Amino acid sequence: MIASALVGAQFGSEGKGLIAGYIAGHYNTHVRVGAANAGHTLYTWNNSVEEVAPGIPEYGKLEKHVMQQLPCAAYANPDATLVVGPGALISPEIFLDEIDQLRAWRNERGLGPADILVDWRAHVILDEQIAEEAATDLEKRIGSTSATAGEGIGIAQADRVMRHGRCVRFIDWWEYAANIYVEVRQCDVPMRLADSDRRVLLEGTQGTGLSLTTGEFPYVTSRNTTAAGLAADAGVAPSFKQVILVARTYPIRVAGNSGPFHAGSHEIEWEDIGVDPASERTTVTKKVRRVATFSLEQIVEAARLNGATGIALTFCDYVDPRIAGQSGTAQGVWSSLSAYPDVERMVNLIEQETGVPVIFLGTGPASVIELRR
Ligand code: GTP
Ligand code: MG
């Protein structure tokens, strides 16, 4: 097995879905951990739908997918095995709904059932845990996706620590669901991933600044979101071929009392950078995100904490709108950014200070430039 990891550098919504979708074809096995408070967005081409990427009509016909439990490869690489690791928390309705949607999508294309493996130790969030979390003051104290959306993730994680949560093996409806959802198999994920022909992508959730262990406590999430935590939650050894760190040009935090930005950033308004706030609503809670200026220090710290080998800089279209929609697939791999000096300056600075090459640029919700210089 060879594993690579994709992680967020800041406070989530860095566009991990965009990059995961772009590189999906290189891996035959994709692993998600985390919980439904992470929503990864990716677009696939579909000539029979009318929906287009927001604000950029020339993209043509794209279909939007929001992945809260399954890896983005569900749509970006239909041949891949989709895995939910032992550290994951499953919201049953969201999970089964995602499988229903995937099944319909595959049926339309004449594809058979997907291959979905779920570790028996992944936990399932129960209705009583959702109610218990809603009765706490968590939402008031910490602006977070789970607390706002009422997902019960914090309590489910706490129950797991107290050894009275419910893991997949001990859930009655799982047996029932397994009969209907033939594509889902319960297994020991670490053992299954050990096969020599597995090229595995671990799709991280949220961002390094939200990590329970090294983030801005208490304004953090309920797990370690760095590459090390991702390996542990996926059940693979912490040795990666590649660690791709995804960083936004303008970091965000979710709406409400969600805590400080990193030193070196200051909070701004969307209008200050000419972005329509409506286009920056969170994927899961649909609230307008808070935004700040780029902190180079934060990226240096995140590159160290994750052992980054490559950086994907997303939202380059916010730095220079002329780069919006540009992509490597149409024009080959790019070797120079001289036509976009503001983006070039930023890329050079990041590479100088982190010592890590910038290998991808996000230029819109559905466009990526691959850099090779
Ligand atoms: P979390 O794990 O929930 O933090 O998700 P994520 O990092 O996968 O981010 P997500 O896909 O939820 O959010 C990013 C949003 O910005 C989505 O709506 C994407 O379609 C969009 N997006 C991603 N990359 C770019 C980019 O380079 N430019 C622009 N304009 N939008 C982008
Ligand atoms: Mg998201």
Side-chain angles (χ1 to χ4, degrees):
M1 181 204 57
I2 298 172
S4 290
L6 183 76
V7 288
Q10 294 135 330
F11 305 102
S13 303
E14 293 96 349
K16 292 177 291 297
L18 174 74
I19 304 300
Y22 187 80
I23 61 177
H26 298 293
Y27 306 89
N28 58 18
T29 306
H30 293 248
V31 186
R32 257 296 292 265
V33 293
N37 50 349
H40 297 179
T41 311
L42 87 154
Y43 289 86
T44 52
W45 297 99
N46 183 350
N47 283 329
S48 62
V49 297
E50 287 301 326
E51 187 168 2
V52 295
I56 309 175
E58 62 272 29
Y59 273 359
K61 294 179 174 180
L62 291 164
E63 193 176 7
K64 181 178 183 173
H65 311 278
V66 175
M67 314 302 295
Q68 291 180 257
Q69 304 258 224
L70 293 176
C72 291
Y75 296 99
N77 180 0
D79 297 329
T81 299
L82 309 175
V83 180
V84 176
L89 290 173
I90 298 173
S91 298
E93 263 174 50
I94 298 173
F95 178 69
L96 297 181
D97 192 48
E98 240 164 65
I99 294 173
D100 282 335
Q101 284 180 35
L102 177 61
R103 191 185 271 181
W105 186 88
R106 292 181 71 94
N107 276 343
E108 269 171 36
R109 286 158 185 77
L111 299 168
D115 182 25
I116 304 175
L117 303 177
V118 178
D119 194 279
W120 69 268
R121 290 153 295 201
H123 274 231
V124 174
I125 301 176
L126 309 170
D127 288 346
E128 50 263 41
Q129 291 170 325
I130 294 175
E132 193 183 332
E133 185 172 283
T136 69
D137 63 349
L138 181 64
E139 187 186 352
K140 230 186 290 154
R141 284 188 294 116
I142 314 283
S144 84
T145 305
S146 171
T148 308
E151 290 173 334
I153 294 167
I155 293 289
Q157 193 71 339
D159 280 350
R160 177 181 204 144
V161 173
M162 294 307 288
R163 270 69 46 90
H164 56 62
R166 283 293 191 83
C167 66
V168 161
R169 180 177 279 177
F170 304 123
I171 290 278
D172 296 337
W173 65 259
W174 191 269
E175 279 300 313
Y176 160 79
N179 290 327
I180 303 170
Y181 291 89
V182 290
E183 49 274 84
V184 182
R185 285 174 296 152
Q186 198 191 121
C187 71
D188 184 316
V189 162
M191 292 302 113
R192 293 297 287 269
L193 294 188
D195 297 353
S196 59
D197 62 344
R198 294 270 185 207
R199 294 188 309 282
V200 181
L201 181 69
L202 307 185
E203 192 178 314
T205 61
Q206 303 159 301
T208 298
L210 292 172
S211 186
L212 177 63
T213 33
T214 51
E216 296 268 356
F217 191 87
Y219 298 99
V220 292
T221 192
S222 52
R223 65 180 57 245
N224 178 2
T225 52
T226 63
L230 180 57
D233 280 351
V236 309
S239 58
F240 295 115
K241 180 159 185 263
Q242 266 195 306
V243 177
I244 302 174
L245 182 71
V246 188
R248 294 178 60 121
T249 53
Y250 289 91
I252 61 93
R253 267 187 171 280
V254 301
N257 186 24
S258 52
F261 282 96
H262 198 276
S265 267
H266 64 268
E267 194 159 351
I268 54 172
E269 300 295 326
W270 286 112
E271 289 78 4
D272 298 339
I273 54 169
V275 174
D276 176 6
S279 69
E280 280 283 359
R281 289 179 193 277
T282 31
T283 311
V284 176
T285 63
K286 309 276 183 275
K287 296 197 169 186
V288 176
R289 298 164 168 135
R290 296 166 54 205
V291 61
T293 56
F294 186 77
S295 165
L296 192 55
E297 284 168 54
Q298 183 168 27
I299 306 309
V300 171
E301 194 179 302
R304 283 196 199 126
L305 280 168
N306 289 286
T309 61
I311 292 173
L313 183 65
T314 52
F315 296 84
C316 290
D317 47 316
Y318 288 1
V319 172
D320 186 342
R322 294 175 307 142
I323 207 170
Q326 301 281 359
S327 78
T329 37
Q331 319 201 3
V333 174
W334 289 33
S335 56
S336 164
L337 283 170
S338 55
Y340 307 100
D342 290 344
V343 178
E344 186 176 42
R345 209 169 304 126
M346 203 161 169
V347 166
N348 288 342
L349 208 58
I350 291 171
E351 291 187 335
Q352 242 167 49
E353 294 300 313
T354 59
V356 179
V358 175
I359 52 176
F360 298 115
L361 302 179
T363 62
S367 50
V368 174
I369 290 173
E370 209 172 324
L371 280 180
R372 211 166 295 155
R373 286 164 300 158

